[in-house]
Amino acid sequence: MKRVGILVGRENTFPEALIRNINERGKGAVTADFITLGGIRYDAPPPYDLIIDRISHEVPFYRATLKRLALEGAVIINNPFWWSADDKFFNFSLARKLGVAIPRTVLLPQKDYIKGIVSESLRNLEFPLDWQAIIDYVGLPAIMKPFDGGGWKNVSRVNTLEELITEYDQTGTLCMTLQEFVDFDQFVRCYCIGQEEVMIMAYDPRKPYLSGEQYVYDPDYLAPELKARVIKDVRTLCGALGYDINTVEFAIKDGVPYAIDFMNPAPDAELQSVGEFYHGWVTEAVTNLVFKRLGETTERSRYRWDAFLNPAPARTEVVASVSEQSGRTVVPKASSRKKSGKAKE
């Protein structure tokens, strides 16, 4: 018998539906339940073959536990090693290299620092910042948001240089990005499961977060050519980032889908928020992913960081690039995220 553990926060309907789906399909050969964690021994065998992580980005104890279980051979969705090392600013830079449209973006130094960081600690930091040069590049209005945040937390729109400095002065120790505001004609949020299965959702970010008013079921929301480009960009991004569960958001202006957020490895899937159709789709897609991963065979990991960053067997790379000279679409052979430029040089 194989066991699947679900690690969750406040959500209810999605993990409950997932557990029910897995147990019904597993028929006793595969079982799923909520994980209970206490003191974690450094030498204990993993109690689960596969774990779906929905909350460890908020709880360091959970994150450390998942890394330890991965060391013992448990499959963790999403990979806790990548997630720990990742940030959205790097991802914006990577996406640009991959040919995905990205709004102009600047990483800002922190406003404040932890205790012990003094002026001498920051001798390499430009001061004062050349705010005018930053604005000249990004433009106004602009969106300021954490370089590694989520859930629309600490996100603000600034319309003037004065507003930018006022908002920046309130960010404390958060490291922020300033990004060109795309006055979108359309907006979509896309589930991507297993780096291949894509569901495009019409989405209104102006509605209150988790209000149940943001998602609209409209299968014909995008024109066919634009839909095909969005699906290609979603697969390109998630294939390069290595996330098996993720959402990608696009602000679409004049027919161009600008990827503005694509590091959401624990995306909203609650029934009252996303609606019955999308809730059912993502539950089924993740269930399929669980059984696919349980059926894969992997070699025993080497005890090196790169082994934990790329634990899965080589799969056909989903990243497609366009030859500048010929205009032909070129799909590389099987490769890993490390080869795509994600790993440290």
Side-chain angles (χ1 to χ4, degrees):
M1 182 181 73
K2 293 191 175 183
R3 297 188 67 192
V4 176
I6 314 296
L7 184 62
V8 300
R10 293 177 292 175
E11 61 183 346
N12 292 306
T13 60
F14 174 62
E16 290 171 355
L18 195 57
I19 288 172
R20 184 168 57 251
N21 257 24
I22 294 171
N23 286 331
E24 289 177 356
R25 190 181 301 186
K27 298 180 179 179
V30 177
T31 64
D33 57 47
F34 290 109
I35 297 174
T36 300
L37 298 173
I40 305 300
R41 285 175 42 180
Y42 83 122
D43 59 351
Y48 293 91
D49 299 281
L50 183 148
I51 295 170
I52 297 176
D53 172 24
R54 304 284 294 168
I55 191 61
S56 77
H57 59 294
E58 301 279 4
V59 184
F61 166 72
Y62 289 161
R63 177 56 56 85
T65 299
L66 293 180
K67 288 181 178 179
R68 201 260 150 198
L69 295 179
L71 177 68
E72 297 299 325
V75 177
I76 313 295
I77 301 174
N78 281 292
N79 187 324
F81 290 92
W82 268 133
W83 200 348
S84 297
D86 215 358
D87 71 73
K88 295 189 176 186
F89 181 70
F90 178 89
N91 290 350
F92 290 135
S93 304
L94 175 62
R96 179 179 175 276
K97 294 285 188 182
L98 294 171
V100 176
I102 301 293
R104 291 186 296 272
T105 307
V106 170
L107 182 69
L108 301 175
Q110 295 156 237
K111 168 63 179 177
D112 298 316
Y113 296 85
I114 62 173
K115 185 177 180 180
I117 297 295
V118 296
S119 58
E120 289 81 6
S121 308
L122 304 172
R123 286 180 292 174
N124 297 94
L125 192 63
E126 178 186 74
F127 185 84
L129 285 177
D130 190 345
W131 286 110
Q132 189 59 54
I134 292 171
I135 288 298
D136 289 344
Y137 174 70
V138 173
L140 289 172
I143 301 296
M144 188 163 61
K145 53 188 176 182
F147 88 120
D148 62 351
W152 294 92
K153 297 176 183 177
N154 305 109
V155 177
S156 58
R157 170 174 165 166
V158 294
N159 300 288
T160 66
L161 178 56
E162 291 73 22
E163 286 184 11
L164 169 59
I165 294 175
T166 298
E167 289 293 327
Y168 173 78
D169 285 345
Q170 299 176 47
T171 57
T173 58
L174 294 174
C175 185
M176 309 294 287
T177 61
L178 188 69
Q179 189 168 76
E180 173 189 7
F181 172 72
V182 179
D183 189 13
F184 56 87
D185 305 313
Q186 294 173 288
F187 198 103
V188 295
R189 193 175 215 215
C190 308
Y191 282 128
C192 187
I193 308 301
Q195 304 175 29
E196 296 179 358
E197 295 298 319
V198 177
M199 171 55 69
I200 299 174
M201 302 175 285
Y203 184 81
D204 189 348
R206 296 163 295 196
K207 299 292 186 181
Y209 183 58
L210 301 180
S211 64
E213 301 175 356
Q214 293 176 304
Y215 298 86
V216 177
Y217 177 64
D218 183 356
D220 299 319
Y221 183 64
L222 299 182
E225 184 176 348
L226 180 57
K227 180 178 179 180
R229 176 172 175 178
V230 166
I231 291 174
K232 172 182 173 293
D233 284 353
V234 170
R235 289 173 174 164
T236 295
L237 291 168
C238 292
L241 298 176
Y243 291 127
D244 275 328
I245 298 177
N246 197 14
T247 53
V248 181
E249 295 177 7
F250 294 92
I252 301 169
K253 180 67 176 177
D254 297 329
V256 178
Y258 294 92
I260 63 168
D261 194 2
F262 40 95
M263 182 185 162
N264 299 292
D268 176 27
E270 285 291 272
L271 175 61
Q272 60 269 33
S273 177
V274 303
E276 184 175 355
F277 179 84
Y278 296 134
H279 171 78
W281 184 91
V282 72
T283 300
E284 187 68 14
V286 174
T287 301
N288 292 340
L289 175 64
V290 166
F291 282 87
K292 179 180 179 181
R293 290 288 177 266
L294 287 174
E296 293 175 342
T297 58
T298 58
E299 295 181 1
R300 184 71 176 179
S301 293
R302 295 175 296 119
Y303 298 125
R304 286 170 49 102
W305 263 90
D306 59 347
F308 297 112
L309 294 176
N310 299 282
R315 296 192 294 273
T316 300
E317 178 62 76
V318 298
V319 177
S321 61
V322 177
S323 169
E324 293 182 358
Q325 294 181 347
S326 67
R328 294 182 295 107
T329 299
V330 181
V331 181
K333 295 181 179 180
S335 61
S336 69
R337 186 185 189 194
K338 184 175 181 180
K339 292 178 182 178
S340 72
K342 189 62 181 177
K344 295 180 180 178
E345 295 289 333

